[in-house]
Amino acid sequence: MPDNQRSRVVTAGDQRSPNRAMFYAMGYKDRDFDKPMVGVANGYSTITPCNSGLDILAKRAEAELKSVGAMPQMFGTITVSDAVSMGTEGMKYSLVSREVIADAIETAVMAEWMDGVLIVGGCDKNMPGAMIAMMRMNIPSIFVYGGTIKPGHYKGKDLTIVSAFEAVGEFNAGKLSQTDFKEIERRACPGSGSCGGMYTANTMSTSIEAAGLSLPYSSTMANEDAEKADSAAESARVLVNAIKQQILPRQILTREAIENAVSIVMATGGSTNAVLHWLAIAHAAGVPWTLDDFEHIRARVPVLCDLKPSGRYVATDLHRAGGVPQVMKMLLKQGLIHGDCMTITGKSIAENLANIPDAPDANQDVIRPWSTPMYPHGHLAILRGNLSPDGCVAKITGLKKTSITGPARVFDSEEEAMGAIMSDRIKAGDVLVIRYEGPKGGPGMREMLSPTSAIIGKGLGNDVGFITDGRFSGGTWGMVVGHVSPEAAVGGNIALVHEGDSITIDAEKRLLQLNISETELQDRRAKWQAPQPRYTRGVLAKYSKLVSSASLGAVTD
């Protein structure tokens, strides 16, 4: 799609245009036709707490747009709840929803020839979907994050949604009473907002802020706090200025801006899903970006924040400690982000950070001083080897062991593997393999939070390796390797693993290796047959036909 340097107002405002009749029906006055039409893409739903608080923000933005001389046009976008669908067949629709959201926003905005768009989203796929749409359309755009959930509490411990998933394994292992299990389940999510740790939603919100497409501090606010609605109103004002100045998304999201975003992912200990999503966003923006670029940034950016899932704190704690601006200022001082990148505010990154202290407050320990980081290098490593020649993604921090060689326990679906875990057939030293769950094979590349949480709940988090051509939740930790490419469904070597084969995962060497001879591997390849598609009609069938490899971002265009 070519860059869109045009104004909708010229057409609708033309005295001879029959389009005006439709606008009069929606309350337009003659004077309104000279104002910019601004879309408000509202991800509100009561499907999930991540999005249940969005309508208030969208309406606040709508009112502010009117007050500053724009004509808002609100429309809805879908959402699904990963936490609700996790561990079920429904999870196959999660990654698919990213594309549906992007397509829906692009369709509504471009069909109505809007002058700009403010997108309000609250959960994992709203955000990358919004960014992909912004890059495709390239009209003035701003993202408003719905905000994080506040932590739940039980017996002196902070709870998040992951606490509930891990409690399943603990209860099954006899480590948790039924009363405690139920109380954790009831208290884990105390209100509206996105999952509270540095899981996928907060990973994407913080990295979008770092990229310059949402307002400073907005990515770590709690949904239920008044400042979140104030930030939505401020976002409306900033967007109207961007329309006047014609500040466009592709002017903001340069390669250097993506480096800034990924640097924040590393510094905050963010989700493996950021790799998949930023590959896709870069693709939509026409910016060259590969798996190896993540590895280059990992090597130079330390983990500065002590955040869940592998750390102690949640996003609201990060907000109180100074938020993304404080972390960015530390990186800027060390020359690790690009201060000259433009932002949607019309100011550069350096200008936005001018009044931020060089070092975090000494009276908090959410953000570590530069001299004593959590880890000296980033936590998301790109592994390669004969099991994943096109690359895969591993979290490598917080591990007591950085390598494992053990027998493969092979399963062709998440459900099969979950049954083995819950019946105690997975032992310390095993390497769990879940395949045919990739973008094409699943289809939809399900997240494996249920099996990984069950393993952790059973006390095996440091003793079992886990590889898959599917994905992991941002709430996952342990010796886990996802996005294995090529995937099993297209004949990737993960399809050729036999039960009991020796597999090595080595985080320090960034190696994922099936320990058999090349001759044996080729013999198995000659005998392999592609499975029949699991779906032949509907959205999953269409997605399976279109989607690319995870190593390219699982894009569909």
Side-chain angles (χ1 to χ4, degrees):
M1 181 182 295
D3 290 351
N4 297 291
Q5 301 277 0
R6 85 287 185 274
S7 173
R8 186 275 321 161
V9 174
V10 173
T11 301
D14 191 327
Q15 295 290 335
R16 298 163 296 177
S17 173
N19 299 0
R20 294 164 65 95
M22 301 295 289
F23 291 100
Y24 285 129
M26 293 182 289
Y28 271 60
K29 310 299 182 187
D30 285 345
R31 64 182 178 274
D32 294 330
F33 290 102
D34 293 325
K35 300 174 182 177
M37 179 194 288
V38 179
V40 179
N42 184 0
Y44 165 75
S45 77
T46 56
I47 290 174
T48 167
C50 312
N51 286 42
S52 63
L54 298 189
D55 208 34
I56 294 170
L57 305 182
K59 288 177 178 176
R60 180 71 182 276
E62 179 185 43
E64 194 66 24
L65 286 167
K66 288 181 180 178
S67 75
V68 295
M71 293 302 292
Q73 299 265 293
M74 190 179 296
F75 61 93
T77 69
I78 69 147
T79 191
V80 299
S81 172
D82 289 2
V84 171
S85 62
M86 197 75 71
T88 75
E89 194 82 356
M91 188 65 197
K92 294 181 177 181
Y93 289 86
S94 170
L95 186 58
V96 176
S97 76
R98 183 188 75 181
E99 310 308 304
V100 176
I101 292 164
D103 291 350
I105 295 170
E106 178 191 349
T107 300
V109 170
M110 301 310 294
E112 305 310 315
W113 213 237
M114 296 174 183
D115 293 301
V117 63
L118 181 149
I119 306 175
V120 187
C123 61
D124 294 7
K125 308 309 176 301
N126 292 152
M127 286 172 272
M131 295 289 285
I132 290 167
M134 285 182 185
M135 296 308 126
R136 290 179 187 169
M137 300 181 299
N138 202 34
I139 64 170
S141 309
I142 193 167
F143 183 74
V144 175
Y145 180 42
T148 187
I149 198 170
K150 294 179 179 181
H153 303 282
Y154 183 60
K155 290 189 172 180
K157 293 183 178 181
D158 284 350
L159 301 176
T160 69
I161 183 60
V162 176
S163 305
F165 280 87
E166 292 181 356
V168 171
E170 292 180 54
F171 178 68
N172 183 263
K175 299 178 180 179
L176 199 65
S177 71
Q178 186 166 17
T179 297
D180 287 344
F181 174 70
K182 279 295 185 183
E183 288 303 314
I184 289 170
E185 188 177 53
R186 289 190 182 104
R187 298 166 185 255
C189 298
S192 61
S194 297
C195 300
M198 195 48 62
Y199 311 143
T200 303
N202 286 322
T203 297
M204 292 310 299
S205 72
T206 52
S207 58
I208 290 169
E209 179 182 326
L213 282 156
S214 63
L215 296 187
Y217 294 105
S218 65
S219 67
T220 51
M221 294 173 177
N223 172 262
E224 296 179 313
D225 287 350
E227 65 176 347
K228 186 71 257 186
D230 292 341
S231 178
E234 176 63 17
S235 297
R237 293 191 290 272
V238 166
L239 176 60
V240 171
N241 179 68
I243 293 170
K244 292 176 181 177
Q245 301 297 322
Q246 280 299 289
I247 301 173
L248 304 178
R250 289 188 212 158
Q251 294 172 340
I252 296 171
L253 199 72
T254 60
R255 180 177 171 83
E256 289 74 21
I258 295 176
E259 289 185 359
N260 289 351
V262 174
S263 294
I264 282 295
V265 172
M266 296 295 177
T268 57
S271 166
T272 54
N273 283 312
V275 175
L276 194 74
H277 295 326
W278 278 106
L279 284 168
I281 295 164
H283 172 80
V287 174
W289 190 262
T290 70
L291 281 175
D292 291 335
D293 292 314
F294 291 94
E295 186 59 36
H296 295 153
I297 292 175
R298 185 196 73 82
R300 68 181 190 235
V301 176
V303 179
L304 295 171
C305 300
D306 187 3
L307 296 168
K308 290 180 181 292
S310 57
R312 294 178 292 167
Y313 296 106
V314 295
T316 50
D317 298 316
L318 175 60
H319 189 63
R320 285 189 290 270
V324 170
Q326 180 62 77
V327 181
M328 290 189 75
K329 186 62 176 283
M330 295 169 69
L331 295 175
L332 180 65
K333 183 174 172 58
Q334 299 297 322
L336 292 175
I337 62 170
H338 304 277
D340 57 349
C341 286
M342 181 194 303
T343 74
I344 191 63
T345 66
K347 298 179 180 179
S348 70
I349 291 289
E351 288 172 328
N352 283 342
L353 299 177
N355 296 322
I356 305 298
D358 289 345
D361 192 305
N363 296 316
Q364 58 79 46
D365 57 356
V366 183
I367 306 172
R368 299 284 286 271
W370 186 263
S371 58
T372 56
M374 292 290 295
Y375 307 99
H377 303 291
H379 62 302
L380 299 181
I382 306 303
L383 277 57
R384 297 183 190 270
N386 67 359
L387 261 181
S388 190
D390 290 349
C392 54
V393 185
K395 277 187 178 180
I396 63 171
T397 52
L399 299 176
K400 293 180 180 178
K401 302 174 183 176
T402 58
S403 67
I404 185 172
T405 296
R409 304 301 310 280
V410 184
F411 303 93
D412 288 348
S413 73
E414 178 184 0
E415 289 84 356
E416 291 178 10
M418 192 66 179
I421 296 166
M422 298 304 284
S423 60
D424 295 321
R425 288 183 282 133
I426 303 300
K427 307 297 182 183
D430 287 344
V431 177
L432 192 63
V433 179
I434 302 181
R435 61 191 181 189
Y436 295 103
E437 291 284 6
K440 286 185 178 292
M445 207 178 178
R446 284 193 286 186
E447 290 181 350
M448 305 294 159
L449 181 60
S450 292
T452 56
S453 296
I455 286 171
I456 289 165
K458 286 179 174 292
L460 296 171
N462 289 300
D463 299 305
V464 170
F466 193 150
I467 71 171
T468 181
D469 51 8
R471 296 182 294 135
F472 290 111
S473 163
T476 295
W477 65 273
M479 191 168 288
V480 297
V481 181
H483 309 193
V484 171
S485 302
E487 63 175 289
V490 299
N493 289 344
I494 190 173
L496 309 181
V497 180
H498 288 182
E499 181 79 8
D501 282 347
S502 172
I503 290 177
T504 295
I505 304 170
D506 193 317
E508 291 187 1
K509 294 181 179 178
R510 301 194 300 280
L511 177 69
L512 181 63
Q513 189 77 13
L514 176 61
N515 299 312
I516 63 173
S517 69
E518 184 63 26
T519 300
E520 173 65 16
L521 195 61
Q522 293 306 317
D523 286 345
R524 293 183 187 183
R525 176 168 301 286
K527 297 173 184 175
W528 179 81
Q529 292 184 339
Q532 291 297 311
R534 286 171 166 161
Y535 297 84
T536 58
R537 300 285 295 275
V539 66
L540 292 180
K542 288 189 287 186
Y543 182 84
S544 182
K545 291 177 182 177
L546 292 172
V547 71
S548 74
S549 167
S551 63
L552 300 175
V555 299
T556 57
D557 66 343

